[in-house]
Amino acid sequence: MLYKLNLEHILFLDIETVPQQQHFSDLDETVQLLWEQKTQYQRKDEFTAEEFYERAGIWAEFGKIVCISVGYFAHKGENRNFRVTSFYGDEIKLLKEFKLLLKEHFSQVKHLLCAHNGKEFDFPYIARRMVINGINLPYKLDLFGKKPWEVPHLDTMELWKFGDYKHYTSLKLLAYVLGIPSPKEDMDGSMVKDVFYKENDLDRIVTYCELDVVTTAQVFLRLRNEELLNDDEIKKV
C-alpha cells in the first residue's frame, strides 16, 4: 500500500517545543506541584522537579510549540519539487496558520499527515495545544469516532517497526542506516530550550525543524525504495 500513495497527497511535518517558562521558579505554585506530581515516576529519586524542568517541553500540558515546519511534494511534468515552509513565533498564531494550511490544501480524504514518531508526539501535541488555546481541531487532527484505518496519519518510525511495538529508532539513526546524507545541523533537540530562551535565536530553531522535515521525507522515499531528493529539488517557500 505504501507504494500506491500519491506523494503529493502527503504533508510531512515536524514540531519544536519548549517549556512554558524558562525557569521552574517562574511557574506558580499550583503548576509547580502539578509538574512534580506528573513527573514523579520519570524522575524517581534521581532529579528534583526543578532539575527535571529542562524536559518540560516534551509534555503538552507544560510546554508550548515554537515552530511547525511542513513539506510537500509538487510535481510539474517530470520535475519533482519538495517545498518547505514554517510557522513559528507566537503559539496561537502559528497554530491558526497551520490549521488554515490544512483547511485550504490538505483537508480532503485523500490527504495524509506524516511525521517521525508523529503518532506518539507531534500529532497529539499539536491537538492538545490547540484545545488548550481554544482552537477548534481541524478534521485531520480530530480522531474522535474514527476507526484505526480512518486515521489520516503516517509515521515513519511506525513504518520502520514492521509490527515490533517495542522498537524505538530516532530519525537520525534511521536516516544513517538508510544511507541518507546527514544535513549540516548545528544543534539537536536537547538544545532547543536554550537556543530559544538564552540565545533568542528562533531562526536557528526553524532551520533545524525544516531539516528534520526534509529528512523525514527522505526516509519515506527510501521506505518506498525511491530516489532521494537532491538539493535542487528542495525549495524554501
Side-chain angles (χ1 to χ4, degrees), residues 3-220:
Y3 307 99
K4 296 181 180 180
L5 296 176
N6 187 329
L7 287 175
E8 294 186 84
H9 296 165
I10 304 171
L11 183 70
F12 297 86
L13 65 92
D14 184 55
I15 68 173
E16 297 303 330
T17 65
V18 298
Q20 278 284 334
Q21 302 292 337
Q22 182 175 2
H23 304 293
F24 180 75
S25 58
D26 296 330
L27 304 174
D28 65 43
E29 290 183 5
T30 299
V31 179
Q32 288 184 3
L33 179 59
L34 289 168
W35 170 252
E36 186 174 353
Q37 293 171 342
K38 174 72 174 178
T39 60
Q40 188 172 13
Y41 175 77
Q42 288 87 357
R43 291 184 292 107
K44 297 185 170 61
D45 295 324
E46 299 175 32
F47 301 96
T48 65
E50 184 169 5
E51 291 170 338
F52 204 70
Y53 188 67
E54 287 287 318
R55 310 184 193 183
I58 295 173
W59 285 271
E61 299 86 353
F62 300 95
K64 63 181 178 180
I65 301 171
V66 295
C67 179
I68 302 177
S69 294
V70 300
Y72 53 94
F73 285 91
H75 293 82
K76 289 187 177 180
E78 304 217 347
N79 295 324
R80 179 180 65 169
N81 287 322
F82 186 72
R83 299 177 181 176
V84 183
T85 193
S86 294
F87 310 103
Y88 52 91
D90 177 75
E91 186 181 45
I92 294 178
K93 179 175 177 289
L94 70 84
L95 287 172
K96 288 181 176 179
E97 290 173 341
F98 175 69
K99 178 182 175 179
L100 184 62
L101 172 74
L102 294 183
K103 180 180 178 181
E104 293 186 347
H105 300 288
F106 289 90
S107 62
Q108 297 180 40
V109 173
K110 65 185 180 182
H111 291 130
L112 301 166
L113 307 182
C114 182
H116 190 77
N117 198 30
K119 291 187 177 182
E120 290 289 328
F121 185 70
D122 303 73
F123 306 140
Y125 201 111
I126 295 172
R128 288 166 184 157
R129 293 308 302 171
M130 283 186 171
V131 171
I132 288 170
N133 284 294
I135 301 171
N136 291 331
L137 291 178
Y139 178 76
K140 293 299 178 182
L141 291 175
D142 188 356
L143 306 186
F144 181 76
K146 287 190 172 85
K147 298 178 177 62
W149 56 87
E150 295 173 333
V151 175
H153 298 165
L154 295 170
D155 187 327
T156 48
M157 191 177 83
E158 182 181 76
L159 292 171
W160 181 248
K161 285 181 177 181
F162 292 99
D164 179 2
Y165 291 101
K166 304 181 297 299
H167 198 70
Y168 175 86
T169 306
S170 70
L171 180 61
K172 190 172 184 178
L173 172 58
L174 186 52
Y176 177 79
V177 299
L178 293 178
I180 297 168
S182 178
K184 294 182 174 64
E185 296 179 349
D186 67 342
M187 61 182 290
D188 60 45
S190 66
M191 300 166 62
V192 173
K193 174 181 178 290
D194 285 345
V195 172
F196 181 78
Y197 280 117
K198 294 182 180 179
E199 300 178 21
N200 196 28
D201 193 348
L202 189 54
D203 288 342
R204 188 177 170 197
I205 295 172
V206 171
T207 298
Y208 169 67
C209 195
E210 290 180 347
L211 288 172
D212 274 357
V213 169
V214 172
T215 301
T216 301
Q218 298 280 47
V219 165
F220 193 81

